[in-house]
Amino acid sequence: DAGVTQSPTHLIKTRGQHVTLRCSPISGHKSVSWYQQVLGQGPQFIFQYYEKEERGRGNFPDRFSARQFPNYSSELNVNALLLGDSALYLCASSSGTGEYEQYFGPGTRLTVT
Amino acid sequence: SQKIEQNSEALNIQEGKTATLTCNYTNYSPAYLQWYRQDPGRGPVFLLLIRENEKEKRKERLKVTFDTTLKQSLFHITASQPADSATYLCALLWYTGRRALTFGSGTRLQVQP
């Protein structure tokens, strides 16, 4: 079975631009979470979606938004990019919300110049 | 707000020895705690989960303890191998507030042959 997949692998954007990151969960998983990981730090929670509804949101500005589609895949959108948005963006899927182990994708490395 | 502390300094040990990593948290105890392994440039991989009412969990060479009095979890790798070299992250979930998985910054383990 395929694991969590993310696209693109790497991305370089300019300040002020917009970016869309994509994630496909493990087959059968209905929950997708997004995390931002800055070098040397642990992943920081951005959003969780379950059955296409937002179930949680981290301390990120409104420039960050996400959605989940009927096939449970998900997109993370970031508007008006700042240099500080440069990070590894991780998507994780799980069977449900709560005490379920999370399966992470390889991440998308975003560089903002 | 809740804080998680992991030793930011790398842990260097000899092959065959037991590695012990620490995760401390502030304020009230989480509902459960998870440990993940992360290799450079890759997403975290789930290792173990321990609940608030459990003292210890084992899986092969891995052991996790959870002391709610000390507000601490210890993660042990027995008979360590060079292949165990990675960054280990603890992640906690509290059933109040945002209910999002909160990660520590991780501890890098280096096992010398």
Side-chain angles (χ1 to χ4, degrees), chain A residues 5-16:
Chain A
T5 59
Q6 292 186 245
S7 63
T9 306
H10 296 86
L11 203 52
I12 299 175
K13 289 285 190 178
T14 304
R15 275 178 299 176

Side-chain angles (χ1 to χ4, degrees), chain B residues 1-24:
Chain B
S1 63
Q2 303 289 356
K3 289 187 179 178
I4 302 170
E5 291 180 356
Q6 293 188 259
N7 195 341
S8 59
E9 290 188 15
L11 178 63
N12 291 288
I13 64 168
Q14 286 296 120
E15 182 175 5
K17 300 293 185 183
T18 296
T20 298
L21 307 176
T22 304
C23 177
N24 295 301

Side-chain angles (χ1 to χ4, degrees), chain A residues 36-44 90, chain B residues 8 38 87 89 103-106:
Chain A
Q36 180 195 67
Q37 187 173 26
V38 174
L39 197 61
Q41 299 295 317
Q44 188 173 0
L90 294 161
Chain B
S8 59
Q38 187 172 27
T87 294
L89 301 158
F103 282 83
S105 57

Side-chain angles (χ1 to χ4, degrees), chain A residues 90-106:
Chain A
L90 294 161
C91 171
S93 76
S94 60
S95 301
T97 60
E99 61 165 76
Y100 292 95
E101 60 194 77
Q102 304 227 357
Y103 295 83
F104 284 84

Side-chain angles (χ1 to χ4, degrees), chain A residues 34-49:
Chain A
W34 287 95
Y35 295 84
Q36 180 195 67
Q37 187 173 26
V38 174
L39 197 61
Q41 299 295 317
Q44 188 173 0
F45 174 75
I46 310 175
F47 286 109
Q48 182 183 50
Y49 278 78

